[in-house]
Amino acid sequence: AQSVTQPDIHITVSEGASLELRCNYSYGATPYLFWYVQSPGQGLQLLLKYFSGDTLVQGIKGFEAEFKRSQSSFNLRKPSVHWSDAAVYFCAVASLGRRALTFGSGTRLQVQP
Amino acid sequence: DTGVSQNPRHKITKRGQNVTFRCDPISEHNRLYWYRQTLGQGPEFLTYFQNEAQLEKSRLLSDRFSAERPKGSFSTLEIQRTEQGDSAMYLCASSSLPTGDMNTEAFFGQGTRLTVV
């Protein structure tokens, strides 16, 4: 069975600082990996996705993520955080045989001025 | 707005009552998913449809839950004899069919928040 672990429940960073949110997955074959963001009162919005190819993927809002098969990780990064990035971030995995997403429990990002 | 639409946005019901939620997916999307999200957790998969066929149901989907997608368009999720543990956000998502081995993005609605009192 596939699973996703987001070890950090809550992270606080200063505006302008860099950000890395951790995601580890468990799945036997090549996974399809996603990062979603959920802001208060908003639906889940896709930031970026990895299916195959280049292991460094670029997304919206200046986010990027790197797939590392050896570490079963798909960490999300942003070089300079903006106050509007405060939200809950979810990592998710899907598979060729099972299209439904398995989500991690999320990381809440707080941005200090 | 051509995104995924869910109604109602909020529902408060008494324990034991039945409730029904509606999801209107993006019009050209063949796949429709239902998820449940409790406070502080990520969404958990409940069930999904490809066109009108319900292809997978999670063990989370007890006998009190039923989902339909008549004609492969909108979907309804019904909960019978609601319990306090059913209180959650119910999310709907839709996606197009995968191309080859490429998965496709799921677009989410804003959800229906259910409170059972």
Side-chain angles (χ1 to χ4, degrees):
Chain A
Q2 51 198 32
S3 66
V4 176
T5 301
Q6 294 182 248
D8 304 305
I9 297 173
H10 189 190
I11 284 182
T12 300
V13 299
S14 298
E15 191 168 15
S18 63
L19 171 71
E20 182 169 24
L21 302 182
R22 295 184 289 165
C23 171
N24 293 97
Y25 68 90
S26 174
Y27 180 63
T30 300
Y32 299 119
L33 294 160
F34 305 80
W35 275 98
Y36 282 85
V37 61
Q38 189 174 42
S39 300
Q42 303 295 315
L44 286 158
Q45 181 182 23
L46 181 70
L47 288 175
L48 47 77
K49 58 192 176 188
Y50 171 79
F51 294 157
S52 65
D54 192 347
T55 56
L56 184 64
V57 293
Q58 303 296 320
I60 63 171
K61 304 184 180 186
F63 285 93
E64 68 177 25
E66 186 171 12
F67 170 58
K68 293 185 177 180
R69 183 189 300 275
S70 62
Q71 297 176 20
S72 297
S73 69
F74 188 57
N75 294 348
L76 181 72
R77 300 193 293 250
K78 186 170 185 178
S80 178
V81 170
H82 188 262
W83 64 267
S84 61
D85 294 324
V88 182
Y89 291 79
F90 292 98
C91 181
V93 64
S95 64
L96 179 62
R98 184 172 187 273
R99 306 293 182 176
L101 295 164
T102 298
F103 285 86
S105 55
T107 297
R108 178 174 297 277
L109 173 65
Q110 187 174 356
V111 180
Q112 287 182 333
Chain B
D1 186 6
T2 57
V4 178
S5 177
Q6 291 189 247
N7 288 288
R9 293 290 308 280
H10 302 273
K11 177 72 177 178
I12 300 174
T13 190
K14 291 183 178 179
R15 189 175 53 184
Q17 297 294 305
N18 298 345
V19 294
T20 300
F21 311 140
R22 177 179 170 124
C23 172
D24 288 89
I26 294 171
S27 59
E28 64 269 22
H29 283 181
N30 303 92
R31 291 191 166 175
L32 186 148
Y33 308 80
W34 285 98
Y35 292 83
R36 181 174 69 185
Q37 185 178 20
T38 54
L39 201 61
Q41 298 298 314
E44 296 173 293
F45 169 73
L46 292 178
T47 188
Y48 97 91
F49 294 83
Q50 182 165 308
N51 300 316
E52 65 276 9
Q54 188 173 19
L55 297 187
E56 185 180 348
K57 293 195 294 186
S58 163
R59 287 173 292 177
L60 292 175
L61 213 64
S62 76
D63 291 344
R64 297 185 295 105
F65 288 69
S66 62
E68 294 183 341
R69 195 184 181 195
K71 304 177 184 177
S73 55
F74 71 92
S75 176
T76 58
L77 178 68
E78 182 184 15
I79 308 174
Q80 296 181 326
R81 305 181 302 282
T82 52
E83 301 172 356
Q84 287 189 322
D86 297 331
S87 296
M89 177 77 82
Y90 289 84
L91 296 168
C92 177
S94 69
S95 69
S96 55
L97 284 177
T99 302
D101 65 349
M102 298 291 285
N103 213 333
T104 55
E105 175 184 353
F107 292 82
F108 282 82
Q110 292 189 300
T112 294
R113 181 170 295 284
L114 173 67
T115 302
V116 181
V117 296

